[in-house]
Amino acid sequence: MALNLAEELSSIATNVAASDWREAIRCAGDGLVAGGVTTEDYTEQMIEAVEEHGPYIVIAPGVALAHARPSESVKKGGLSWVSLASPVEFGHKSNDPVSLVIGLAALDHTAHIEVLRAVAGILSNPATRSGLDAAASPEEVRSLLERAASPK
């Protein structure tokens, strides 16, 4: 059974202002902290991962999956969703600019694979992607994700 992103999201924020990729990741980290998923240290670890390894977290056009290694800063597995009011550059050759940052906190090294599969499934549907890009509220995002995860 595929992961239902709507059920896994601890926070959703829409039309968030971020001046650069660090601030965009901090917004995703704030959602994880507010949801009781991580401590603030994890947010800094996500930023350090990009500083060290580059923009590998930009997994698709306009989409970044912000994460760091499992650590003591992760209290439980969870996700946050941040759609940006204005896209920001992460420095990725083909997938910039980013308008959606999904924060991922995992307790092990394999959870991100299931999340990637779920994100790819959702965002590969042009109608769903368009609706998510235009969603103006957390309720609208959650509703679209629930509909996308429902059996046809």
Side-chain angles (χ1 to χ4, degrees):
M1 182 172 189
L3 180 76
N4 182 331
L5 289 178
E7 294 174 358
E8 299 296 322
L9 288 168
S10 61
S11 73
I12 301 172
T14 58
N15 296 314
V16 174
S19 60
D20 59 24
W21 66 265
R22 287 178 178 83
E23 190 172 351
I25 289 176
R26 281 194 178 91
C27 292
D30 288 348
L32 293 171
V33 171
V37 175
T38 66
T39 67
E40 292 176 1
D41 288 344
Y42 188 74
T43 302
E44 294 309 312
Q45 292 167 10
M46 291 191 296
I47 291 170
E48 289 168 9
V50 175
E51 290 173 342
E52 183 176 342
H53 302 293
Y56 73 100
I57 66 167
V58 183
I59 58 170
V63 180
L65 183 65
H67 62 281
R69 293 177 186 265
S71 72
E72 293 178 2
S73 302
V74 178
K75 298 176 180 177
K76 61 183 180 181
L79 299 167
S80 65
W81 180 282
V82 176
S83 65
L84 300 173
S86 298
V88 299
E89 300 282 332
F90 274 69
H92 195 278
K93 288 182 181 177
S94 55
N95 293 333
D96 268 345
V98 169
S99 58
L100 171 62
V101 180
I102 300 171
L104 165 66
L107 295 169
D108 60 50
H109 293 282
T110 58
H112 71 284
I113 295 169
E114 197 171 340
V115 172
L116 282 171
R117 188 176 301 129
V119 169
I122 294 289
L123 299 180
S124 65
N125 179 319
T128 302
R129 175 69 191 263
S130 178
L132 289 167
D133 287 344
S137 69
E139 295 78 18
E140 195 174 348
V141 169
R142 194 173 297 280
S143 175
L144 286 162
L145 291 173
E146 287 173 351
R147 253 186 281 153
S150 297
K152 309 291 185 265

